[in-house]
Amino acid sequence: GGIITQTPKFLIGQEGQKLTLKCQQNFNHDTMYWYRQDSGKGLRLIYYSITENDLQKGDLSEGYDASREKKSSFSLTVTSAQKNEMAVFLCASSIHRGDERLFFGHGTKLSVL
Amino acid sequence: SQWGEENLQALSIQEGEDVTMNCSYKTYTTVVQWYRQKSGKGPALIILIRSNEREKRSGRLRATLDTSSQSSSLSITGTLATDTAVYFCATEDNYAQGLTFGLGTRVSVFP
């Protein structure tokens, strides 16, 4: 079996700061995703990537950048952290686009002071 | 985009009881997936039901799908304390990007 590793597990930032979250998968999956999870709001798609160097915007992409330099890694950047923002960012992968069974990491919990 | 919705937000039950949660979705989907998320972990797929199936079973789990009413249900029989989690339904359609998740149902099972 494979695993998805997200770093860091907890991230505390300052308002206006640029923050980067990292995700690694060893499933050898083609497609990777970043979701944001707010309390009581389910999961919302920020970015996804169907292969190395590909980036596709989700519904929530404004305020974020992403990078997929290698097949196994997908990073997400919060371009300017918002004061009092608190959310969990979940990275996921799937075998390929069209097989939407997702495998998730444990998440990065972001708090902005 | 399409959003799935659960009709119940939080359920508290005793071990051994059965529980059912519902999900209604707004646009056509070829498959409904149910995920379980335990505290501090990411969601994990527990059962998947396709549009040509009305019912799917996996151990103590049973999922149903009614494409005419655009709704799905997840039942857990003989619940255990370890079933305590948030359960999400997720749908996909050919025009959206990946899966669309519902708000989730928090199930708390007490010994």
Side-chain angles (χ1 to χ4, degrees), chain A residues 35-37 41-45 90 104, chain B residues 3 43 88 101-102:
Chain A
Y35 282 90
R36 175 179 165 130
Q37 183 174 29
K41 288 193 176 178
L43 280 67
R44 292 180 288 174
L45 183 65
L90 291 162
F104 283 89
Chain B
W3 291 95
F88 293 98
F101 284 82

Side-chain angles (χ1 to χ4, degrees), chain A residues 74-92:
Chain A
F74 193 29
S75 62
L76 180 73
T77 298
V78 179
T79 55
S80 179
Q82 301 298 306
K83 188 173 174 64
N84 296 324
E85 182 175 8
M86 191 178 300
V88 175
F89 292 84
L90 291 162
C91 176

Side-chain angles (χ1 to χ4, degrees), chain B residues 20-40:
Chain B
T20 296
M21 58 207 90
N22 298 306
C23 169
S24 57
Y25 53 92
K26 293 175 183 164
T27 61
Y28 172 79
T29 187
T30 57
V31 66
V32 174
Q33 302 185 36
W34 284 91
Y35 286 79
R36 173 164 60 197
Q37 185 177 26
K38 297 196 175 186
S39 181

Side-chain angles (χ1 to χ4, degrees), chain B residues 66-82:
Chain B
D66 183 342
T67 54
S68 62
S69 64
Q70 296 188 159
S71 63
S72 176
S73 72
L74 174 70
S75 298
I76 308 173
T77 56
T79 54
L80 304 169
T82 51

Side-chain angles (χ1 to χ4, degrees), chain A residues 33 35 37 40-45 48 56-59 88 90 97-107, chain B residues 1 3 9 31 33 35 37 40-45 48 50 88 92-93 96-104:
Chain A
Y33 307 80
Y35 282 90
Q37 183 174 29
K41 288 193 176 178
L43 280 67
R44 292 180 288 174
L45 183 65
Y48 70 100
Q56 306 285 341
K57 292 183 178 182
D59 288 339
V88 175
L90 291 162
R97 191 79 177 95
D99 184 333
E100 305 294 355
R101 292 170 294 175
L102 299 185
F103 295 82
F104 283 89
H106 288 179
Chain B
S1 64
W3 291 95
Q9 294 290 320
V31 66
Q33 302 185 36
Y35 286 79
Q37 185 177 26
K41 311 282 189 196
L45 178 64
L48 178 156
R50 299 190 185 280
F88 293 98
E92 61 181 76
D93 64 70
Q97 303 147 335
L99 293 179
T100 300
F101 284 82
L103 296 176

Side-chain angles (χ1 to χ4, degrees), chain A residues 11 18 22 28 36 40 63-64 96 98 104 110:
Chain A
L11 183 56
K18 189 174 182 179
K22 294 186 183 295
N28 199 34
R36 175 179 165 130
Y64 302 95
H96 55 75
F104 283 89
L110 171 67

